[in-house]
Amino acid sequence: MNQATLHQLKVFEAAARHGSFTRAAEELFLTQPTVSMQIKQLTKSVGLPLFEQVGKRLYLTEAGRELFTTCRQIFDTIAQFEMKVADLKGLKQGQLRLAVITTAKYFIPRLLGPFCQLYPGIDISLHVTNHEGILERMSSNMDDLYIMSQVPEHLDVNYQPFLENPLVVIAPANHPLAMEKNIPIQRLADEPFIMREPGSGTRRAVQKLLDEHGIVVKVKLELGSNEAIKQAIAGGLGISILSRHTLVTDGKDLTILDVEHFPIQRDWYMVYLAGKQLSIVARTYFEYLLEAAKEFAEKTAKSNFFHAEKNH
Ligand code: PGA
């Protein structure tokens, strides 16, 4: 590997990530023959093939996979170094990679605006996916910080709760039960129900409560998006159980039903891999988010939906 250059590793990393020389070339503003040439030289230094082509698709060989992991570590270390230098220079700059569960998208992007204004040198990439998706990203160490509602059990992580994430029963505003108080949970079995997709943390929490009470709901529709579910409820297709935060945007056609045992109390956690040394940028964001979450909670506590729940 003595002959290998950092540039070759960058080219290889991009090609491995995209599974395509052409797309790596596009990303790095290189020509396709340059990419091929760099990878050819790198392959020579390693002494084993890094890719294999099956049909039109490009796959990593075992050596390729090992090198890909090594590249990630090398570039992570370099990024850390760059951030440390920036910090020594008194600058907060660098990259922040965040991955958040679907319900957190209702407030994380709002908080990113002020954060970016405060630290214009920080570039952010934000990934939104469900619980299962976050676990996958986490086990391949793809991001700096994760925001999720259930701390993973099988991964060694550090975590901190920072905001409540209650799950509530949502129905169309004109639903016959809208005015009733303390509706028995068994009533849920009589309503057409819209369920999140398998792999969703919301779904898992809902299922757990229903199982505890021996309730089987009539699932009419399964949807992989909170927004789509809100639209379906407003369209009269059924009721559902979602994070109350999903109502911060246009929830006027919807209402929260006062069902016993609700809300399901959950929290949002900021999570990162235990072995990971948080970058200065990630730590800055961590602290910022703790503060911002406090303000967010105070502000939303004054909004109608939050009052509605308190009056129950
Ligand atoms: P989900 O995330 O998108 O996986 O349902 C929400 C949660 O876990 O609370």
Side-chain angles (χ1 to χ4, degrees), residues 100-104 129-134 148-150 165 167 196-197 199-205 224 226 243 266-268:
V100 310
I101 48 167
T102 62
T103 46
T129 176
N130 70 13
H131 182 80
E132 208 71 19
I134 296 263
M148 60 198 311
S149 270
Q150 199 187 342
N165 179 25
L167 302 185
R196 282 284 306 272
E197 78 287 2
S200 147
T202 307
R203 176 182 171 129
R204 200 185 318 165
N226 297 312
S243 165
R266 307 180 83 210
D267 285 300
W268 270 321

Coordinates of all heavy atoms in Angstrom, one line a residue, residues 100-104 129-134 148-150 165 167 196-197 199-205 224 226 243 266-268, ligand 1:
V100 N -32.2 11.3 11.2 CA -33.3 11.5 12.2 C -34.5 10.6 11.8 O -34.7 10.3 10.6 CB -33.7 12.9 12.3 CG1 -32.5 13.9 12.6 CG2 -34.5 13.4 11.1
I101 N -35.2 10.1 12.8 CA -36.4 9.4 12.5 C -37.5 10.3 11.9 O -37.4 11.5 12.1 CB -37.0 8.7 13.7 CG1 -37.1 9.6 14.9 CG2 -36.3 7.4 14.0 CD1 -38.0 9.1 16.0
T102 N -38.5 9.7 11.2 CA -39.4 10.5 10.4 C -40.1 11.5 11.2 O -40.4 12.6 10.7 CB -40.5 9.5 9.8 OG1 -41.2 8.9 10.9 CG2 -39.8 8.5 8.9
T103 N -40.5 11.3 12.5 CA -41.3 12.3 13.2 C -40.4 13.5 13.6 O -40.9 14.6 13.7 CB -41.9 11.7 14.5 OG1 -40.9 10.9 15.1 CG2 -43.1 10.9 14.1
A104 N -39.1 13.2 13.7 CA -38.2 14.3 14.1 C -38.1 15.4 13.0 O -37.7 16.5 13.2 CB -36.8 13.8 14.5
T129 N -35.2 8.9 8.0 CA -35.6 7.5 7.7 C -36.3 6.9 8.9 O -36.4 7.6 10.0 CB -34.4 6.7 7.3 OG1 -34.7 5.3 7.1 CG2 -33.3 6.8 8.3
N130 N -36.8 5.7 8.8 CA -37.5 5.2 10.0 C -36.5 4.5 10.9 O -35.3 4.5 10.7 CB -38.7 4.2 9.6 CG -38.2 2.9 9.0 OD1 -37.0 2.6 9.1 ND2 -39.1 2.2 8.4
H131 N -37.1 3.9 12.0 CA -36.2 3.4 13.1 C -35.2 2.4 12.5 O -34.0 2.4 12.8 CB -37.2 2.7 14.1 CG -36.4 2.2 15.3 ND1 -35.9 2.9 16.3 CD2 -36.0 0.9 15.5 CE1 -35.3 2.1 17.2 NE2 -35.3 0.9 16.7
E132 N -35.8 1.5 11.7 CA -34.9 0.4 11.1 C -33.8 1.0 10.3 O -32.7 0.6 10.3 CB -35.8 -0.5 10.2 CG -35.4 -1.9 10.1 CD -35.5 -2.7 11.4 OE1 -36.3 -2.3 12.3 OE2 -34.9 -3.7 11.5
G133 N -34.2 2.0 9.5 CA -33.2 2.7 8.6 C -32.1 3.3 9.4 O -30.9 3.3 9.1
I134 N -32.4 3.9 10.6 CA -31.4 4.5 11.4 C -30.5 3.5 12.0 O -29.3 3.7 12.0 CB -32.1 5.3 12.6 CG1 -33.0 6.4 12.1 CG2 -31.1 5.7 13.7 CD1 -32.4 7.8 12.2
M148 N -33.6 9.7 17.6 CA -34.5 8.6 17.5 C -35.3 8.5 18.8 O -34.9 9.1 19.8 CB -33.8 7.3 17.1 CG -32.8 6.9 18.1 SD -31.6 5.7 17.5 CE -32.6 4.5 16.8
S149 N -36.4 7.7 18.8 CA -37.2 7.6 19.9 C -37.0 6.3 20.8 O -37.6 6.2 21.8 CB -38.7 7.6 19.5 OG -39.1 8.9 19.5
Q150 N -36.1 5.5 20.3 CA -35.9 4.3 21.1 C -34.4 3.9 20.9 O -33.9 3.8 19.8 CB -36.7 3.1 20.5 CG -36.8 2.0 21.6 CD -37.5 0.8 21.0 OE1 -38.2 0.9 19.9 NE2 -37.3 -0.3 21.6
N165 N -41.8 12.9 23.1 CA -42.4 12.5 21.8 C -43.6 11.7 22.0 O -43.7 10.5 21.8 CB -41.4 11.8 21.0 CG -41.9 11.4 19.6 OD1 -42.8 12.0 19.1 ND2 -41.3 10.3 19.0
L167 N -47.1 9.8 21.7 CA -48.0 9.3 20.5 C -49.4 9.4 20.9 O -49.8 9.0 22.0 CB -47.6 7.8 20.3 CG -46.2 7.5 19.9 CD1 -46.0 6.0 19.6 CD2 -45.7 8.4 18.8
R196 N -48.5 2.5 10.4 CA -47.2 2.8 9.8 C -46.6 1.4 9.3 O -47.0 0.4 9.7 CB -46.2 3.4 10.8 CG -46.5 4.9 11.0 CD -45.9 5.7 9.8 NE -44.5 5.4 9.6 CZ -43.5 6.0 10.2 NH1 -43.7 7.0 11.1 NH2 -42.3 5.7 9.9
E197 N -45.6 1.5 8.5 CA -45.0 0.3 7.9 C -44.1 -0.5 8.9 O -43.7 0.0 9.9 CB -44.1 0.8 6.7 CG -42.7 1.3 7.1 CD -42.7 2.7 7.8 OE1 -43.8 3.3 8.0 OE2 -41.7 3.2 8.1
G199 N -40.9 -1.9 10.6 CA -39.6 -1.2 10.7 C -39.8 0.2 11.3 O -38.8 0.8 11.7
S200 N -41.0 0.6 11.4 CA -41.3 1.9 12.1 C -41.3 1.8 13.6 O -41.9 0.8 14.1 CB -42.6 2.5 11.6 OG -43.2 3.2 12.6
G201 N -40.6 2.7 14.3 CA -40.6 2.7 15.7 C -42.0 3.0 16.3 O -42.4 2.5 17.3
T202 N -42.7 3.9 15.6 CA -44.1 4.3 16.0 C -44.9 3.1 16.0 O -45.6 2.8 17.0 CB -44.6 5.3 15.0 OG1 -43.7 6.4 14.9 CG2 -46.0 5.8 15.4
R203 N -44.8 2.3 14.9 CA -45.7 1.1 14.8 C -45.3 0.1 16.0 O -46.2 -0.4 16.6 CB -45.4 0.4 13.5 CG -46.1 -0.9 13.3 CD -45.7 -1.5 12.0 NE -46.1 -2.9 11.8 CZ -46.8 -3.3 10.8 NH1 -47.1 -2.5 9.8 NH2 -47.2 -4.6 10.7
R204 N -44.1 0.0 16.3 CA -43.7 -0.9 17.3 C -44.3 -0.5 18.7 O -44.8 -1.3 19.4 CB -42.2 -1.0 17.4 CG -41.8 -2.3 18.1 CD -40.4 -2.6 18.4 NE -39.5 -2.2 17.3 CZ -38.2 -2.1 17.6 NH1 -37.7 -2.4 18.8 NH2 -37.3 -1.8 16.6
A205 N -44.2 0.8 19.0 CA -44.7 1.3 20.2 C -46.3 1.1 20.3 O -46.8 0.8 21.3 CB -44.4 2.8 20.4
G224 N -46.1 4.3 4.7 CA -44.8 4.5 5.2 C -44.4 6.0 5.4 O -43.3 6.3 5.5
N226 N -45.7 9.6 7.7 CA -46.7 10.3 8.6 C -47.6 11.3 7.9 O -48.8 11.4 8.2 CB -45.9 11.1 9.7 CG -45.0 10.2 10.6 OD1 -45.5 9.2 11.1 ND2 -43.8 10.5 10.7
S243 N -47.0 10.5 16.4 CA -46.4 11.5 17.3 C -47.2 12.7 17.2 O -47.7 13.2 16.1 CB -45.0 11.8 16.8 OG -44.6 12.9 17.4
R266 N -43.2 8.8 25.1 CA -41.9 8.4 24.5 C -41.0 9.7 24.6 O -41.5 10.8 24.7 CB -41.9 7.9 23.1 CG -42.9 6.8 22.9 CD -43.0 6.4 21.5 NE -41.9 5.4 21.2 CZ -41.4 5.3 20.0 NH1 -41.7 6.0 19.0 NH2 -40.4 4.4 19.8
D267 N -39.7 9.5 24.3 CA -38.8 10.7 24.2 C -38.0 10.6 23.0 O -37.8 9.5 22.4 CB -37.8 10.6 25.4 CG -38.5 11.0 26.7 OD1 -39.0 12.2 26.8 OD2 -38.5 10.2 27.6
W268 N -37.5 11.7 22.6 CA -36.5 11.8 21.5 C -35.1 11.7 22.2 O -34.9 12.4 23.2 CB -36.6 13.0 20.7 CG -37.5 12.9 19.5 CD1 -37.6 11.8 18.7 CD2 -38.4 13.8 19.0 NE1 -38.6 12.0 17.8 CE2 -39.1 13.3 17.9 CE3 -38.7 15.1 19.4 CZ2 -40.0 13.9 17.2 CZ3 -39.7 15.8 18.7 CH2 -40.3 15.2 17.6
Ligands
PGA1 P1 -40.5 5.8 12.9 O1 -39.9 6.8 14.0 O2 -40.4 6.6 11.7 O3 -39.6 4.6 12.9 O4 -41.9 5.5 13.3 C1 -40.6 7.3 15.0 C2 -40.3 6.7 16.3 O5 -39.6 5.7 16.5 O6 -40.9 7.4 17.2

